[in-house]
Amino acid sequence: LDISGYVSTADGYTGTVTYAVTEGTEYASVSEAGVITGLAKGTATVKVTAPAIVGSFSESSAEFTVTVVDNRTATNVTFGEAVDDQTFDVNLGETFEGKTATVYPTEAGNVTYSSDNTDVASVNESTGAITLGGIAGTATITAFFAATDDYKASSAKYYINVIDPNAPVFYESFNQNDG
């Protein structure tokens, strides 16, 4: 949004008009030329100042309130109801078939995959194929759609729990006397 067209100075004024965001810098920025860029949904105040010119003009300023809205289309990434937020157990040494996610609306684009614990399970960033590591543990597999100019970001996840079937199992016994 270019606000420079809304700013006028007196005839003969030779100073340089300045623009600054005085409140809400997390929501908007403004260039030296008066072009406001929305950064996040919220409200910002932009102050326009025409500095004084000694002997000719006194300082003058005005404020604009800018409300930034997010008109991008919402998206939804899903692996499917049977997979989203579910945990899948697999024994160490076995294989696991990765799950494929879809972003809706489908014309939004593609998802990328990641793992939070690549020692347990790594994932191919573009296909979602899983390669299990050599240790037991849990990995969160996330499919992420990055925001674009037209669509909002979204993600979905599932968990892979790799179990070592040969790991020792310890039992503790408690003997309680009520006496």
Side-chain angles (χ1 to χ4, degrees):
L1 172 65
D2 185 350
I3 61 171
S4 64
Y6 298 100
V7 177
S8 61
T9 56
D11 288 339
Y13 182 80
T14 58
T16 302
V17 174
T18 61
Y19 302 87
V21 177
T22 57
E23 291 181 38
T25 55
E26 66 272 29
Y27 304 117
S29 64
V30 64
S31 72
E32 291 179 3
V35 177
I36 297 173
T37 301
L39 303 174
K41 187 176 176 182
T43 302
T45 302
V46 177
K47 185 175 184 178
V48 181
T49 304
I53 296 179
V54 178
S56 299
F57 298 95
S58 59
E59 180 176 292
S60 178
S61 66
E63 290 186 338
F64 290 85
T65 300
V66 178
T67 301
V68 179
V69 295
D70 190 349
N71 290 328
R72 295 176 297 172
T73 301
T75 62
N76 179 41
V77 173
T78 182
F79 287 100
E81 192 174 309
V83 177
D84 287 347
D85 295 314
Q86 298 300 309
T87 300
F88 298 91
D89 292 332
V90 60
N91 286 328
L92 194 62
E94 294 180 351
T95 59
F96 181 82
E97 185 175 331
K99 310 302 182 186
T100 303
T102 304
V103 61
Y104 295 99
T106 55
E107 65 271 11
N110 297 315
V111 297
T112 56
Y113 299 89
S114 65
S115 169
D116 74 338
N117 189 345
T118 56
D119 291 335
V120 172
S122 60
V123 62
N124 180 292
E125 186 178 275
S126 58
T127 66
I130 298 292
T131 302
L132 296 178
I135 66 168
T138 301
T140 303
I141 306 301
T142 303
F144 180 74
F145 173 75
T148 66
D149 289 343
D150 297 321
Y151 296 97
K152 294 180 183 181
S154 61
S155 65
K157 63 184 178 293
Y158 68 90
Y159 309 93
I160 300 172
N161 185 35
V162 177
I163 302 164
D164 183 352
N166 299 317
V169 178
F170 295 98
Y171 295 97
E172 231 177 284
S173 175
F174 294 97
N175 187 3
Q176 181 177 359
N177 290 325
D178 293 310

